[in-house]
Amino acid sequence: MGSKYTKRNTAEFKRDAIALVDSTGKTVSAVARELGISSESLRGRYRQAKADPGEGAPGELTTAEREELKRLRRQNAEQAKTIEVLRKAAVFFAKESDR
């Protein structure tokens, strides 16, 4: 069984792991196995590192674009809630003015 605590790697460790994949020519899985980390997490970091300078697959979002998308989705959800409150208030006051 694994530990109940998740091991956190530093940003430097993550950069070095990505550089190791590039410099050695080994597969992501082989490097991950050597470092004792999940191959899927390293693969995701590797893809993102390639996408940020524009070397990723077509249509792949950069980190900045992902952050902006997250911010816009949060803002959209807040505005939807505000619109719903205003809609309910308009219905309430329309009924009050009919009396």
Side-chain angles (χ1 to χ4, degrees), residues 6-9 13-14 17-18 21 27-47:
T6 302
K7 180 181 173 186
R8 300 283 179 202
N9 295 315
F13 177 82
K14 293 172 185 177
I18 291 166
V21 172
T27 64
V28 173
S29 298
V31 172
R33 195 171 29 255
E34 288 175 11
L35 297 175
I37 59 175
S38 165
S39 61
E40 288 305 313
S41 65
L42 180 57
R43 186 171 286 110
R45 285 189 216 117
Y46 185 77
R47 279 190 190 132

Side-chain angles (χ1 to χ4, degrees), residues 68-83:
E68 182 180 15
L69 184 59
K70 187 186 302 183
R71 180 186 62 79
L72 291 172
R73 284 181 175 164
R74 192 177 319 117
Q75 182 181 9
N76 189 21
E78 289 172 10
Q79 289 176 348
K81 288 178 186 177
T82 302
I83 289 169

Side-chain angles (χ1 to χ4, degrees), residues 60-70:
E60 195 167 6
L61 299 177
T62 64
T63 301
E65 291 170 332
R66 285 180 190 278
E67 291 299 318
E68 182 180 15
L69 184 59
K70 187 186 302 183

Side-chain angles (χ1 to χ4, degrees), residues 90-99:
V91 168
F92 174 78
F93 288 120
K95 287 181 182 177
E96 287 295 315
S97 66
D98 287 343
R99 289 186 185 179

